[in-house]
Amino acid sequence: MNLLEKLDAAAAVRKSLLPDGVGAFGIPIEEVYSATEARIGDRRVLLLGTNNYLGLTFSPECIQAAHEALDTEGTGTTGSRMANGSYSGHRALEQEFANFYECCTGIVFTTGYQANLGTISGLVGRGDTVLIDSDSHASIYDGCILSGAEIIRFRHNDMIDMEKRLRRLGDRTTTTLIIVEGIYSMLGDQAPLAEIVQLKNKYNCTLLLDEAHSLGVLGETGQGLVEKTGLLKEIDFITGTFSKSLCSIGGFCVSNHPQLDQLRYISHPYIFTASPSPATIASTRAALKLLRNGSNLRKQLWKNCTQLYTHLNTVGYRLGPEPGPVIAAILDNPRQALQLWHGLLEHNIYVNLILPPAAPDGKSLVRCSVNAAHTNEQIAHVGATFEKLYQQFLVA
Amino acid sequence: MTECNYDEIMQLLCDRLSTLTSSETAITADTNLISELSIDSIKLLNLIMEIEDSFDISIPINALADVQTVHELASLISRIKSAH
């Protein structure tokens, strides 16, 4: 099979899952009206498939900050952080993230994906080990592969399995990096951080926590799972993204280990790419302020999450183990998931469709992302539509 | 690791693989896991986790990149087991 035939084979698999005319992946959004509504084709849809958890995409403070940066610093930096791409805003945002997490060092990356890629591949290398949750995001898997370290997976959130693997490593645990996530993106469940920290200390490992989905969502000031659990000081490295609660694009790593700063000189995903645009940095800085003071937004977000999770659970949908901004209905097969996804779109509701192998354990998911800007009426409408479609497609 | 252990691993692999594949192909040491047994990556990773428990070992994901046949998987398990 030549290179192009391999792509043809992949296209055939995709076609077998998605009939002609159903463009579930990369569907074009023609116009965006607000944090909760947009136009897809000729439909005005309710957005339930974005990561806009605090609903800040149209925040006047962020938009104004971005406009000012465009006017004063231009559209792009046209260079690497290592060369001409470190503006005062990049450095200021790094300090603001470090302050937010009470850490001595912070680094900003161009995307959240690169934050994991650059941090992991900078911290570990050949001869080291990474111990990762089996439901880890692709950026974690790819960062581990790039590093050349030995990659060992433990069963999702299974602390018995994790300890078994730590025990098998013997004295290699001192060069082992454990990587977990605050909220997992597929089923929306949280890592059992207290038990993980206990094992990390028992086996003398290093711990990296990715707060991509939990930043802005958990904790009084929105730090994430570290704040909810009171374990901030126990975590060696925290990574996260700007593209969810912070409503822009980029990523960060913070740490109380000053050695983190050395990644600026060795981490390819940090060095060999252009730095975030000035407008991106400016809107992120404004959003971080809103996030820190956003306890009312978090209250509304959690009210919405609980309302939708409870409704779907009562209807009979199989869901992830706990409510959160990511609420995934687990379907038996791709066909059922596609029917439900398509049915929701026909009722003017946009959600995410996730088919194997992207979802864990060969599951098919119809995933909702709830945000603080959704009204009670919108959430009730989504719940009622899911209920109607359950009767239509899922009751035997 | 003795030859007997390798045989034991082969036997366990053949037994488990036969329950995972819909293919009628007889499973031998040279059988290709992907092209002949049509075992997808998710099923393979779940099988690996079962095997890890059976032999009390951890198999790094990186090492699986070089595994195509049943023999190669059995050899990898045997090597990791003997290093413990």
Side-chain angles (χ1 to χ4, degrees), chain A residues 46 159 255 276 298 324:
Chain A
L46 187 53
M159 294 299 99
S255 176
R298 273 181 284 287

Side-chain angles (χ1 to χ4, degrees), chain A residues 10-319:
Chain A
V13 172
R14 191 172 58 84
K15 202 172 175 187
S16 72
L17 292 171
L18 297 173
D20 284 340
V22 180
F25 301 124
I27 195 164
I29 292 178
E30 310 289 351
E31 281 183 275
V32 183
Y33 303 120
S34 69
T36 61
E37 290 186 296
R39 179 166 68 81
I40 292 178
D42 55 4
R43 294 177 184 282
R44 188 181 181 106
V45 297
L46 187 53
L47 292 171
L48 252 290
T50 72
N51 302 309
N52 185 11
Y53 298 134
L54 297 182
L56 294 176
T57 43
F58 284 85
S59 138
E61 292 93 329
C62 298
I63 289 174
Q64 189 189 337
H67 277 165
E68 283 172 10
L70 269 172
D71 289 342
T72 56
E73 296 176 86
T75 54
T77 66
T78 73
S80 159
R81 292 296 307 277
M82 180 74 116
N84 61 300
S86 280
Y87 289 12
S88 60
H90 297 86
R91 286 293 189 172
L93 181 57
E94 284 170 341
Q95 191 56 55
E96 284 156 11
F97 267 109
N99 294 345
F100 181 47
Y101 283 105
E102 300 161 44
C103 286
C104 68
T105 318
I107 298 187
V108 160
F109 292 83
T110 303
T111 66
Y113 176 83
Q114 282 164 294
N116 275 337
L117 220 62
T119 303
I120 296 167
S121 64
L123 289 175
V124 292
R126 203 167 291 280
D128 302 324
T129 306
V130 280
L131 184 59
I132 63 173
D133 188 287
S134 59
D135 279 11
S136 292
H137 188 261
S139 59
I140 293 174
Y141 276 97
D142 291 354
C144 294
I145 292 166
L146 182 65
S147 76
E150 200 165 80
I151 308 164
I152 294 174
R153 302 187 324 159
F154 59 92
R155 290 182 173 89
H156 176 54
N157 274 351
D158 183 336
M159 294 299 99
I160 293 171
D161 195 47
M162 183 178 168
E163 178 155 25
K164 224 186 296 178
R165 288 162 199 282
L166 284 167
R167 177 180 49 75
R168 288 173 191 153
L169 283 169
D171 57 12
R172 291 165 60 208
T173 53
T174 53
T175 53
T176 294
L177 177 68
I178 300 170
I179 307 174
V180 295
E181 297 180 40
I183 291 180
Y184 284 89
S185 60
M186 288 294 128
L187 298 179
D189 47 347
Q190 298 167 27
L193 197 58
E195 291 162 87
I196 291 166
V197 163
Q198 209 173 14
L199 289 175
K200 170 238 171 185
N201 289 334
K202 180 175 172 185
Y203 289 91
N204 202 16
C205 307
T206 304
L207 177 58
L208 186 156
L209 173 65
D210 180 355
E211 296 270 25
H213 286 269
S214 34
L215 169 65
V217 168
L218 298 175
E220 179 57 30
T221 67
Q223 284 176 336
L225 189 60
V226 283
E227 190 174 16
K228 182 188 168 189
T229 55
L231 292 166
L232 176 61
K233 297 295 171 199
E234 299 284 347
I235 314 299
D236 296 287
F237 298 93
I238 297 171
T239 58
T241 179
F242 306 163
S243 59
K244 298 180 177 23
S245 285
L246 293 168
C247 295
S248 63
I249 182 167
F252 70 91
C253 179
V254 293
S255 176
N256 258 326
H257 299 295
Q259 293 92 335
L260 173 66
D261 214 46
Q262 292 311 304
L263 262 57
R264 296 183 195 278
Y265 310 102
I266 60 171
S267 172
H268 284 200
Y270 172 81
I271 300 166
F272 293 101
T273 189
S275 61
S277 73
T280 296
I281 294 293
S283 78
T284 306
R285 292 181 67 190
L288 185 57
K289 280 186 198 150
L290 296 172
L291 182 152
R292 287 183 87 146
N293 299 316
S295 56
N296 287 339
L297 292 173
R298 273 181 284 287
K299 271 185 203 141
Q300 184 59 44
L301 169 65
W302 279 96
K303 193 177 164 204
N304 290 345
C305 299
T306 309
Q307 184 184 341
L308 185 60
Y309 185 92
T310 307
H311 194 152
L312 300 195
N313 196 33
T314 308
V315 169
Y317 279 100
R318 196 150 48 102
L319 305 174

Side-chain angles (χ1 to χ4, degrees), chain A residues 141 149-155 161 164-165 167-168 357 361-362, chain B residues 41-42 45-46 49-50 52-53 56-62 84:
Chain A
Y141 276 97
E150 200 165 80
I151 308 164
I152 294 174
R153 302 187 324 159
F154 59 92
R155 290 182 173 89
D161 195 47
K164 224 186 296 178
R165 288 162 199 282
R167 177 180 49 75
R168 288 173 191 153
D361 292 330
Chain B
S41 56
I42 292 166
L45 285 173
N46 287 338
M49 283 195 158
E50 278 183 43
E52 289 175 321
D53 280 346
D56 195 23
I57 56 171
S58 293
I59 302 173
I61 298 178
N62 335 42
H84 268 248

